[in-house]
Amino acid sequence: MNLTILIGLIAVLVVYIIATYNSFVVLATRIKEAFSGIDVQLKRRTDLIPNLVSTVKGYAKHEKSVFENVTKARSSLMKAETVTEKSKANNMLTESLKSLFAVAENYPDLKANTNFQDLQRQLEDTEDKIAYSRQFYNSNVLDYNTKIKVFPSNILAGFFKFTERLFFETSKSERENVKVDFES
């Protein structure tokens, strides 16, 4: 009878270890899939930028430094590999695009251009998708990081070398309040 209890406890322990390990694998896979979603949207964003820059260039030829900053930021995002690199490059691109749109504000003909308006709408749509993808990714990272930190699964996480993942963070300026101006 004691042997039956011992075998039963060992079986329960083995099942727990297997289930916990598999849950770590599932969570880590979800993080990869979520990061892939961010990557797809960032790629879409970088594909839109050359058209946007060339449209604005047609109206604001003397704004060379703004175009160079956007091009440099886009290139950095395309070369970024890790979550940290992509997050930093994405924030840099966001800042340079703000400058580009500020330039566009000075050219009423550009703002009225249907090509520019279409590109702007596509970019806004992409920004919304990036925000959703980032939220989905960070939610999965939260679940994973929590699982590897709580007892007793933290013991197995350490044993199987599951380590904490980084969140996809926004820049300081993106966290600031947005100024809305209805007078223009």
Side-chain angles (χ1 to χ4, degrees):
M1 186 159 241
N2 286 341
L3 183 61
T4 307
I5 293 172
L6 182 62
I7 291 172
L9 288 173
I10 290 172
V12 167
L13 182 62
V14 167
V15 167
Y16 172 77
I17 290 170
I18 291 170
T20 303
Y21 177 84
N22 287 343
S23 69
F24 287 135
V25 171
V26 166
L27 289 169
T29 303
R30 283 187 185 153
I31 290 171
K32 285 181 183 176
E33 186 263 338
F35 187 68
S36 174
I38 292 173
D39 226 15
V40 166
Q41 296 309 320
L42 293 177
K43 171 76 170 98
R44 180 174 181 229
R45 184 184 193 202
T46 58
D47 289 348
L48 287 171
I49 290 170
N51 294 331
L52 184 65
V53 168
S54 67
T55 301
V56 175
K57 266 185 183 177
Y59 289 86
K61 292 179 176 77
H62 61 279
E63 304 285 353
K64 189 175 181 182
S65 66
V66 172
F67 303 130
E68 287 173 355
N69 289 341
V70 171
T71 303
K72 181 179 172 186
R74 178 182 179 265
S75 177
S76 294
L77 182 57
M78 291 173 70
K79 291 177 186 172
E81 304 252 339
T82 67
V83 173
T84 304
E85 289 171 353
K86 284 190 185 283
S87 181
K88 185 177 177 182
N90 180 57
N91 293 337
M92 190 169 88
L93 182 57
T94 298
E95 290 302 313
S96 63
L97 285 174
K98 285 179 185 177
S99 298
L100 183 69
F101 284 115
V103 165
E105 288 294 318
N106 296 326
Y107 298 90
D109 291 344
L110 173 60
K111 286 174 31 180
N113 179 295
T114 56
N115 189 32
F116 178 75
Q117 290 173 350
D118 182 51
L119 287 167
Q120 194 171 19
R121 268 192 296 281
Q122 287 182 47
L123 196 58
E124 287 170 2
D125 180 52
T126 302
E127 296 294 339
D128 289 343
K129 289 177 180 175
I130 290 170
Y132 172 78
S133 297
R134 186 183 324 169
Q135 179 184 1
F136 181 66
Y137 172 83
N138 285 342
S139 176
N140 281 294
V141 168
L142 175 67
D143 292 345
Y144 174 84
N145 286 348
T146 301
K147 178 115 180 152
I148 67 170
K149 290 180 181 180
V150 297
F151 182 79
S153 62
N154 63 338
I155 296 167
L156 293 175
F159 180 76
F160 290 115
K161 297 189 181 357
F162 287 100
T163 57
E164 191 171 349
R165 301 289 178 96
L166 297 175
F167 289 98
F168 198 101
E169 297 188 15
T170 60
S171 68
K172 244 183 180 177
S173 66
E174 285 185 83
R175 287 184 237 137
E176 295 172 359
N177 291 333
V178 176
K179 181 184 174 201
V180 179
D181 182 11
F182 291 108
E183 295 179 17
S184 47

